Amino acid sequence: MGIYKHTAIHIYNSRKGLELQVEKENFRDQKENIKTKKERTELFSPKGRLTAFAAGLCCGLLGTGGGTVLILFLSEMIGKNGEEKKRLFATCAAVILSVSVFCYGMYLSFGRVGWGIDWRGIVGALLGGISGAFLLKKMPAKLLGRIFSALLIVGGGLMLYRSAGGKG
Amino acid sequence: MLEALAAFLCALPVGMGVGGAGLYVIFLGLYEKMPQAQAQGANYLFFLFATAAGTVMNIRSGLIDKKAMTFLSFWGIFGALPGALLAFYLPSGVLRIFFAVFMIALGVYGIFRERRK
């Protein structure tokens, strides 16, 4: 009888231990879920709204840069979770896409762009975008980011030089 | 042909997700000598097609948070309205200067961000 009691207590303790282990893991998952939910709720906060407004302002005024503004400020709200960051980047791209559609409509209705479409540019853009998505797997984005940043500085400098009356 | 090549090269970083739409405006302004507002308008169309493939892939893989996207888009459009109206009424030269300074700031930020990482 003693052996059975000892075994029963052992089984009970093992099961209890297992239950506690499962409870601990569930609690940790819940904590993670709450943290993720809280981070995503931050997007709907006044700071999120202001960031989106500023990104739209940038997009409408300068034609570009809205995505950078969105990611710059919104990624501070989202933690280091890689999956959440991926979702944020994808969501920001979709937001800027919809804002760009609206801006293009505005520019069309105010006559700042013509109704005619330059197909060469569009075909180039489409092929470039698709190639870029494939190239991402082969080329480090960091290197291309640096090249792109350098080109922006050079291009911006040339535009300033041209605005100041220089040839170019 | 050069325009197609420039659009292709400018769209490469867009497809990779590191940006690049500003480069196309710079090309249109410097090479095609387009007025700044017109170049920006053409850039929207460029951006639409450059991100089309990536966005479709993101939608199919369920990466886009639709609720957040709708909410942020609403506020983005709300901000784009005064931005675009301001762009229409600013002289082209002034708009070009704003744009150039912003591009330089973005470029510097990009380089320092990589260094910090």
Side-chain angles (χ1 to χ4, degrees):
Chain A
M1 194 65 186
I3 294 172
Y4 294 126
K5 189 178 168 186
H6 178 75
T7 311
I9 291 169
H10 179 71
I11 291 170
Y12 173 77
N13 284 341
S14 304
R15 274 177 65 181
K16 198 72 186 163
L18 193 63
E19 279 172 12
L20 282 172
Q21 180 73 14
V22 168
E23 258 183 46
K24 207 169 142 188
E25 281 169 6
N26 283 345
F27 179 69
R28 194 181 55 213
D29 290 345
Q30 277 174 19
K31 243 175 77 173
E32 279 299 316
N33 284 342
I34 289 168
K35 196 174 159 209
T36 309
K37 265 190 197 163
K38 191 180 169 214
E39 284 165 352
R40 285 166 66 181
T41 313
E42 292 281 341
L43 294 178
F44 299 90
S45 66
K47 188 178 177 188
R49 285 177 229 178
L50 194 62
T51 305
F53 183 88
L57 190 70
C58 209
C59 201
L61 178 64
L62 302 171
T64 187
T68 307
V69 169
L70 266 183
I71 288 169
L72 176 62
F73 291 103
L74 292 184
S75 61
E76 289 171 6
M77 295 184 203
I78 303 290
K80 303 247 185 277
N81 185 333
E83 197 55 42
E84 281 300 313
K85 274 201 181 303
K86 257 196 218 176
R87 283 176 66 90
L88 177 69
F89 283 15
T91 307
C92 287
V95 168
I96 293 304
L97 199 66
S98 43
V99 172
S100 296
V101 169
F102 172 79
C103 288
Y104 186 65
M106 273 202 74
Y107 273 62
L108 266 178
S109 46
F110 277 79
R112 289 303 190 271
V113 284
W115 285 96
I117 295 171
D118 187 355
W119 291 106
R120 292 167 299 176
I122 285 171
V123 168
L126 198 56
L127 291 175
I130 293 168
S131 306
F134 283 111
L135 207 63
L136 185 62
K137 293 170 196 168
K138 300 205 187 296
M139 190 173 173
K142 213 191 265 186
L143 174 64
L144 194 66
R146 280 191 190 146
I147 295 170
F148 164 62
S149 299
L151 285 172
L152 280 182
I153 293 171
V154 169
L158 280 171
M159 287 183 88
L160 274 179
Y161 175 68
R162 193 182 147 212
S163 299
K167 289 180 188 170
Chain B
M1 196 62 203
L2 182 64
E3 196 170 311
L5 182 64
F8 177 81
L9 291 172
C10 292
L12 275 178
V14 177
M16 291 181 77
V18 295
L23 283 176
Y24 193 60
V25 179
I26 292 171
F27 165 75
L28 291 175
L30 287 176
Y31 183 77
E32 303 272 331
K33 308 271 194 272
M34 222 182 253
Q36 185 62 21
Q38 193 181 343
Q40 286 172 196
N43 187 52
Y44 293 123
L45 206 57
F46 160 82
F47 183 74
L48 279 169
F49 284 92
T51 53
T55 305
V56 166
M57 279 164 59
N58 287 336
I59 291 171
R60 287 175 79 175
S61 53
L63 275 176
I64 294 176
D65 184 341
K66 293 186 182 110
K67 210 170 166 186
M69 189 204 97
T70 311
F71 182 79
L72 293 173
S73 297
F74 169 77
W75 284 96
I77 287 167
F78 197 38
L81 193 60
L85 289 173
L86 190 61
F88 297 156
Y89 291 106
L90 278 176
S92 187
V94 173
L95 195 59
R96 192 179 303 123
I97 290 170
F98 277 171
F99 181 82
V101 169
F102 186 69
M103 288 297 107
I104 291 170
L106 270 186
V108 168
Y109 164 73
I111 286 175
F112 278 108
R113 183 184 60 177
E114 291 300 327
R115 275 201 177 163
R116 245 188 304 154
K117 274 187 192 171

